Amino acid sequence: RGCVEKCTYCQVIQQFLGYRMVPREVELKRLAQLRKLADDGLIYTSKNGRFSVFVSDDLHPPPLRAVKYRNERLERLKGWKGHTEGMWMICQTRAEVGGDPELASAMSDAGFRMLYVGAESSSVENLKAVKKRQDPSQVNRDLIRLNEMGFAIAAMTIIGLPYDTEAGILEMADWARTVSRYQTANWLTPLPATSNWDALTPLDEDGSLLPEGKMRPYQLYTGRQLVHYDKRWSMQESRDLFARYTGKLRPVDALYERTFRMFQRNWQTRSTIVQDAERAIANAIDEI
């Protein structure tokens, strides 16, 4: 758990002070525990018995800058094979895994089907500004490879980075759709434990500068609008641009909305079955 990178917008490295690894046997115990929960009906499963597992956090690092960490992760993934049948595994990763066929194949063999990939921006200047050490052209190639391997890719993007323009943001939406099945979008947001927290001037709820000593409007820290001063856009303009940007995407949120509606329908059906069974039992008791 954790990350070996130092991107300025991210909390992970500051929160976890590096990274840690649980013992290998603990991973297998957790997988067995999930299987038991599913067998006991405590995890929602599909008709064919499959259920989703989101693996957190950033377990698959860039191979060239963390060789020891990468090799350990590879051996662990190989050990997962045979322990994840029926699990539809999901995780966050960097695009570089697309340039590591051995690691990507091990992920696939272990049951990983959906990858949230931190693409962030298609601009070289933006990535340098936030210390995201990757090249957009290489990210494009890596994402193409991951798609070809059959992974469902959700490209995670950030807008409002230092070199963003309105035209560039909308162009990035077109690119993201070509290299991923789903996308996520967030305005650059100053989060606690990041350098942006003190570096960016916070806004009040009405979009004006936050008075000194006043609590920040945390209910707006959703990534859907600016919450810090940016001479390029007002808070309302950022909301409008976010709507235009996401309107061009296939947001992964829509996938989960459909999933929850399916849960709700199935729950309502099950509730009806239970109620019918209870009435039948009650009638039988009355007859006795």
Side-chain angles (χ1 to χ4, degrees), residues 8 14 17 25 31 84 93 121 151 187 189 236 267 269 271:
T8 62
Q14 291 91 341
L17 299 178
E25 61 271 17
L31 292 172
T84 58
T93 186
S121 176
F151 291 107
W187 270 99
T189 302
Q236 185 56 51
W267 175 252
T269 300
S271 297

Side-chain angles (χ1 to χ4, degrees), residues 5 25 37 40 63 98 209 221 226 247 276:
E5 298 299 304
E25 61 271 17
L37 289 170
D40 290 344
L209 295 181
Y221 280 56
L226 281 170
D276 291 344

